[in-house]
Amino acid sequence: LLIYFFEKNNYRAFLVTAIAVMLIKENMPLIIMTFGVYALFVKSKNKIKWGVVPMVMGVATFYFLVTVLIPHFSNSKSYTYTFLYHEYGKTFPEMVLSMIQHPTAVLAKISSPRQIHFLNELFAPLLYLPLMGMNILFLSSSHFLQHLLSSNSFEQTINRHYTASLVPFIFAAFVQTLGWLRQHLKLFRFNFILLLLVVMSLLNFQANLPRFYSCFAVKRDNLNDERWKMIKLIPSKQPVLADIDFLAVLSTRRNLFSFHKIYSDAYQAPYSKVKLPDSLQYMLLDFHNGWL
């Protein structure tokens, strides 16, 4: 919708969509910021409206969320996930400055084998055709950098939810490229490319199916009724510490604590130490959980 309203010069609808997008997740305002940067180069008029306003709105919202709102509600002095980028600095300004001052280090990280493999997973099924739509991919450049520069390997694989914000832009760039190819190639050559795309997608689907299936949270036993009984035994207003598989069904509770953030050393940095309330009486763990 952002891309559509941007192309149609429907500013009011674009702003409404931008606000909705920023409510999704704390990193989404960066998308609005890149739309503003893009507008400064492609909009022939109203650059303040299309360029500066989205840039300021995106940067200000992102900064407020990660430095004020989220730390406040997580009882932390700083945004927890900055530790994924501590090789560049301790704070967001330090990180940005470090990346600007050391571009070779950034390029080395982006071109490492794991990152290249991740990019292949994203683009190979579409014969790398979305790379011809770099103008659209630029709109998600902040999120590509988030993935490629992170020390969290889960952000560099397609079998996690993290790539959800990249997919719409890859798809839109792909569609734009197909439109260009249809205009500049003879029908036979264009149809041949479409056939290759279908074959490549099917081959990738077949190759990745076992890996995707292993990620599905499907319990291969008959204990689900017992799990629900245990969940219902916990009073609705009581705080509870639970492992990953139970977080979704308990997520409407005001005081819910994730077991992996208590147990795993990776989350025990001094600035992000989770404090459990004295009133905590319930812990719900399933030792069939593969992570445990």
Side-chain angles (χ1 to χ4, degrees), residues 43-141:
K43 293 290 185 183
S44 58
K45 55 184 179 180
N46 296 323
K47 289 183 181 289
I48 299 294
K49 186 169 71 172
W50 283 101
V52 176
V53 172
M55 284 173 60
V56 172
M57 188 166 65
V59 172
T61 303
F62 174 76
Y63 190 79
F64 171 73
L65 290 175
V66 300
T67 64
V68 179
L69 191 68
I70 293 175
H72 171 75
F73 283 104
S74 60
N75 296 316
S76 177
K77 293 181 180 179
S78 64
Y79 180 61
T80 301
Y81 293 103
T82 53
F83 78 88
L84 296 175
Y85 306 91
H86 271 185
E87 61 185 290
Y88 308 103
K90 300 295 183 182
T91 64
F92 285 105
E94 285 181 11
M95 293 174 192
V96 173
L97 184 61
S98 174
M99 292 176 191
I100 294 173
Q101 292 176 335
H102 305 94
T104 54
V106 173
L107 288 174
K109 183 69 176 284
I110 291 175
S111 58
S112 64
R114 188 168 70 188
Q115 274 73 352
I116 294 298
H117 178 72
F118 171 58
L119 293 174
N120 280 328
E121 286 188 319
L122 289 173
F123 292 104
L126 301 176
L127 297 177
Y128 303 96
L129 291 180
L131 294 176
M132 294 176 65
M134 290 301 293
N135 59 322
I136 291 180
L137 291 180
F138 171 78
L139 298 172
S140 59
S141 57

Side-chain angles (χ1 to χ4, degrees), residues 114 118 147 150-163 267 291:
R114 188 168 70 188
F118 171 58
H147 285 263
S150 174
S151 60
N152 179 12
S153 60
F154 288 159
E155 291 193 57
Q156 289 129 27
T157 177
I158 60 172
N159 62 327
R160 299 283 173 171
H161 67 280
Y162 297 106
T163 53
Y267 292 92
W291 186 88

Side-chain angles (χ1 to χ4, degrees), residues 39-289:
L40 292 178
F41 292 93
V42 301
K43 293 290 185 183
S44 58
K45 55 184 179 180
N46 296 323
K47 289 183 181 289
I48 299 294
K49 186 169 71 172
W50 283 101
V52 176
V53 172
M55 284 173 60
V56 172
M57 188 166 65
V59 172
T61 303
F62 174 76
Y63 190 79
F64 171 73
L65 290 175
V66 300
T67 64
V68 179
L69 191 68
I70 293 175
H72 171 75
F73 283 104
S74 60
N75 296 316
S76 177
K77 293 181 180 179
S78 64
Y79 180 61
T80 301
Y81 293 103
T82 53
F83 78 88
L84 296 175
Y85 306 91
H86 271 185
E87 61 185 290
Y88 308 103
K90 300 295 183 182
T91 64
F92 285 105
E94 285 181 11
M95 293 174 192
V96 173
L97 184 61
S98 174
M99 292 176 191
I100 294 173
Q101 292 176 335
H102 305 94
T104 54
V106 173
L107 288 174
K109 183 69 176 284
I110 291 175
S111 58
S112 64
R114 188 168 70 188
Q115 274 73 352
I116 294 298
H117 178 72
F118 171 58
L119 293 174
N120 280 328
E121 286 188 319
L122 289 173
F123 292 104
L126 301 176
L127 297 177
Y128 303 96
L129 291 180
L131 294 176
M132 294 176 65
M134 290 301 293
N135 59 322
I136 291 180
L137 291 180
F138 171 78
L139 298 172
S140 59
S141 57
S142 59
H143 283 214
F144 271 100
L145 287 175
Q146 172 198 325
H147 285 263
L148 295 173
L149 298 178
S150 174
S151 60
N152 179 12
S153 60
F154 288 159
E155 291 193 57
Q156 289 129 27
T157 177
I158 60 172
N159 62 327
R160 299 283 173 171
H161 67 280
Y162 297 106
T163 53
S165 61
L166 299 177
V167 171
F169 296 96
I170 295 174
F171 175 76
F174 173 62
V175 170
Q176 177 182 272
T177 301
L178 283 184
W180 185 89
L181 292 174
R182 183 66 188 89
Q183 290 179 341
H184 293 82
L185 293 180
K186 292 182 178 180
L187 184 60
F188 172 77
R189 293 180 179 178
F190 180 75
N191 287 337
F192 180 72
I193 290 175
L194 289 183
L195 179 62
L196 284 179
L197 285 166
V198 172
V199 172
M200 194 68 172
S201 294
L202 289 173
L203 289 174
N204 273 270
F205 178 75
Q206 183 182 30
N208 286 296
L209 190 59
R211 189 174 64 166
F212 288 145
Y213 184 74
S214 68
C215 294
F216 298 153
V218 178
K219 294 295 182 184
R220 297 177 179 84
D221 55 38
N222 58 355
L223 296 176
N224 277 341
D225 288 343
E226 303 307 317
R227 292 184 178 93
W228 279 110
K229 288 178 183 178
M230 294 183 69
I231 291 169
K232 293 174 181 178
L233 282 173
I234 303 173
S236 60
K237 295 184 179 181
Q238 287 291 318
V240 56
L241 175 66
D243 71 40
I244 293 175
D245 285 353
F246 289 109
L247 295 183
V249 293
L250 294 169
S251 61
T252 56
R253 293 169 180 262
R254 184 173 180 84
N255 292 301
L256 173 63
F257 301 90
S258 179
F259 178 75
H260 77 282
K261 291 196 175 185
I262 304 298
Y263 180 81
S264 174
D265 290 338
Y267 292 92
Q268 297 308 307
Y271 56 85
S272 62
K273 180 76 173 178
V274 178
K275 296 180 180 179
L276 296 175
D278 294 335
S279 58
L280 179 68
Q281 299 181 42
Y282 297 91
M283 180 168 69
L284 188 54
L285 302 181
D286 183 351
F287 288 97
H288 286 204
N289 182 321

